[in-house]
Amino acid sequence: MSILIRGGTVVNHDYSRRADVLIEDGKIVAVGDKLSGVETIDAGGCYVMPGGIDPHTHMELMFMGQVSADDFEWGTKAALSGGTTMIVDFCIPAPGESMLKAYQAWRHKAEKAAADYSFHMAVTSWSPQVHDEMEAVVKTYGINTFKHFMAYKGALMVNDDELYNSFRRCAQLGALPLVHAENGDVVARMQADLLARGVTGPEGHSYSRPPEVEGEAANRAIMIAEMAGCPLYIVHVSCEQTHDAIRRAKQAGQRVWGEPLVQYLVLDDSEYQHKDWDYAAGRVMSPPFRNKKHQDTLWAGLQSGTLSVVATDHCSFTVKQKRMGLKNFTQIPNGTGGLEDRMPVLWTAGVNTGRLTKEEFVAATSANIARILNMYPKKGAVMAGSDADLVIWDPKATKKITAKKQVSRIEYNVFEGFECTGAPKTVISRGKIAWVEGDMRAKAGDGDFVAREPNAPAHVANAIWKGITQPKGVKRVEVTP
Ligand code: URP
Ligand code: ZN
Ligand code: ZN
């Protein structure tokens, strides 16, 4: 059946124009004037934008002894209610566990997704098996991104040797490495020192992870990527130190992308000083929220294009789960929600304030990541031939965020009380109305896995070691010790 979205303004990352959008069999078949279709949706006064893509989520993840509260069904429903029609979740094998086994487990968990999804694969250790399985992950399983945790010592953290090996392998396979940039050794030392001094509350989380810890790891990962000859994507960029490293790398010609979270753009580190323990612990995530100076640099990066994508790192834990760390902040499961709020909060704090144009909003919420992950223009565009994943956006709609009305399964919301102007009116996923003005129509299982092709392994040519050859005609004098 065909659906016609009539009378709206189509907004892509590169242009906006008044146009109708015709959808058939899950695809956009035409964008133009005076089109006709069987079912008509009136988009007068609204923007018609690509559905949001959140490239950083953790559904039903076993992490720090707890399983994150939103599963693929409720996480994707939360996403749809906020205008996001696709998530990319992290498939995380335990160190030493087969990637292929972990992949099967994630596919199984994701069967109940109500919206489309894809995966990044985490490299949590290094061995000949990991080396070989990475090829199958790329060529057989449709995943072209590998995530590396430089933090979480003793759990998921990898060292520089492992990073370099994996980055080289990514270069060979045309895959893109991702890093969680924090120096896990230093964090562990600082955590121990703080606990020894009697700092046990959630504020200790932020003290133990200063911006330098992140900036050092970001710089290191960028240098290792340069030596390995691969591009790099840095997840959850929270501070000037990391932004500066990305800026310099870009200026030097490296392909490095940075992903701030919407939380970092509007929430600051004073949240960890809140006298209500549950409130402060609910904001514990890594890296932590920063001060105003760091917020400003993230906005500047989005405005100038040195930062590319706004994500959420949605990894929600209930109050009970957070209380595992009542006596020791290092035991508070790290993670917050945000999926259903990302687009309205970014629109309100970004577009309504004049920081971002509506086209830049589309770039940061869908088009840029679709290009980086090699799924554009199937995703991230309102274009004939693209998947019909669309959000009809009412720039005048108002909404006060409250946990009482959220779709996510947890009892609190880090944006509680935030007043949004600009919100989805109707959300269309693969050509079907998934959510309309509070009515969730998408069902568990409606989502599909999105496979992504690798890039050509051209970056290998840039590897520093490739340029090193034995100098000709140099006679070395034998030295006897
Ligand atoms: O605190 C966070 N970010 N939790 C989720 C795991 C991660 O590091 O991305
Ligand atoms: Zn992380
Ligand atoms: Zn994460």
Side-chain angles (χ1 to χ4, degrees), residues 13-333:
H13 75 96
D14 54 352
Y15 78 99
S16 298
R17 65 176 277 228
R18 248 286 295 112
D20 300 339
V21 179
L22 183 63
I23 297 168
E24 265 169 29
D25 299 327
K27 296 271 180 199
I28 297 171
V29 291
V31 179
D33 300 324
K34 300 196 177 75
L35 302 175
S36 51
V38 175
E39 186 183 342
T40 301
I41 299 175
D42 177 17
C46 291
Y47 297 122
V48 183
M49 305 192 287
I53 301 169
D54 190 334
H56 191 154
T57 70
H58 302 281
M59 300 305 157
E60 212 180 317
L61 172 69
M62 167 53 92
F63 184 55
M64 296 182 70
Q66 302 295 316
V67 177
S68 59
D70 286 315
D71 61 11
F72 276 86
E73 177 182 353
W74 289 101
T76 49
K77 284 183 174 173
L80 287 168
S81 73
T84 290
T85 52
M86 179 179 175
I87 62 168
V88 191
D89 204 82
F90 290 83
C91 177
I92 308 183
E97 189 196 351
S98 158
M99 285 179 170
L100 309 187
K101 204 171 141 220
Y103 173 84
Q104 297 305 342
W106 250 259
R107 283 300 295 258
H108 180 66
K109 284 197 279 191
E111 275 168 12
K112 50 184 184 276
D116 282 2
Y117 57 92
S118 192
F119 298 143
H120 310 288
M121 178 63 71
V123 175
T124 53
S125 59
W126 190 255
S127 66
Q129 185 185 351
V130 173
H131 172 277
D132 294 347
E133 287 187 352
M134 282 174 78
E135 183 166 12
V137 166
V138 171
K139 296 193 175 153
T140 313
Y141 295 124
I143 297 177
N144 62 17
T145 36
F146 290 92
K147 168 79 176 287
H148 307 78
F149 292 92
M150 298 171 81
Y152 307 129
K153 188 173 181 174
L156 301 172
M157 182 172 125
V158 285
N159 61 27
D160 293 351
D161 181 35
E162 293 164 321
L163 269 188
Y164 180 74
N165 282 326
S166 179
F167 283 16
R168 286 289 306 145
R169 189 70 175 132
C170 285
Q172 286 166 354
L173 294 168
L176 169 66
L178 277 51
V179 287
H180 168 138
E182 281 186 307
N183 185 321
D185 286 318
V186 174
V187 170
R189 189 66 261 157
M190 288 194 178
Q191 287 176 330
D193 288 350
L194 284 156
L195 289 172
R197 287 164 51 190
V199 181
T200 59
E203 68 284 2
H205 176 75
S206 132
Y207 299 151
S208 66
R209 308 180 101 98
E212 290 74 14
V213 147
E214 186 185 327
E216 184 281 326
N219 275 288
R220 182 157 39 100
I222 287 170
M223 291 297 159
I224 293 175
E226 173 70 350
M227 290 184 276
C230 62
L232 181 68
Y233 181 95
I234 304 184
V235 304
H236 47 46
V237 172
S238 76
C239 64
E240 164 58 16
Q241 283 82 344
T242 303
H243 182 200
D244 183 46
I246 294 169
R247 243 182 344 235
R248 281 184 281 108
K250 277 185 180 292
Q251 215 169 1
Q254 257 184 281
R255 287 182 181 83
V256 178
W257 296 282
E259 167 206 90
L261 306 182
V262 66
Q263 295 91 316
Y264 298 148
L265 293 167
V266 298
L267 302 171
D268 66 49
D269 54 359
S270 64
E271 304 272 316
Y272 301 112
Q273 306 294 335
H274 202 283
K275 54 184 186 307
D276 177 353
W277 191 94
D278 287 334
Y279 180 100
R283 275 77 183 157
V284 164
M285 66 172 304
S286 296
F289 305 159
R290 309 290 189 196
N291 65 25
K292 177 93 179 45
K293 181 191 98 180
H294 295 291
Q295 283 181 358
D296 287 346
T297 194
L298 300 182
W299 282 113
L302 291 170
Q303 287 166 212
S304 64
T306 48
L307 298 174
S308 309
V309 174
V310 176
T312 61
D313 194 1
H314 187 100
C315 186
S316 59
F317 292 102
T318 62
V319 169
K320 186 168 174 227
Q321 290 177 313
K322 287 279 182 179
R323 285 186 184 168
M324 299 313 292
L326 256 181
K327 295 205 171 86
N328 176 344
F329 69 85
T330 69
Q331 309 289 315
I332 301 170

Side-chain angles (χ1 to χ4, degrees), residues 73 76-77 80 114-115 429 433-435 439-446:
E73 177 182 353
T76 49
K77 284 183 174 173
L80 287 168
S429 171
I433 298 177
W435 181 94
D439 176 16
M440 180 66 65
R441 303 213 183 149
K443 303 224 167 6
D446 280 357

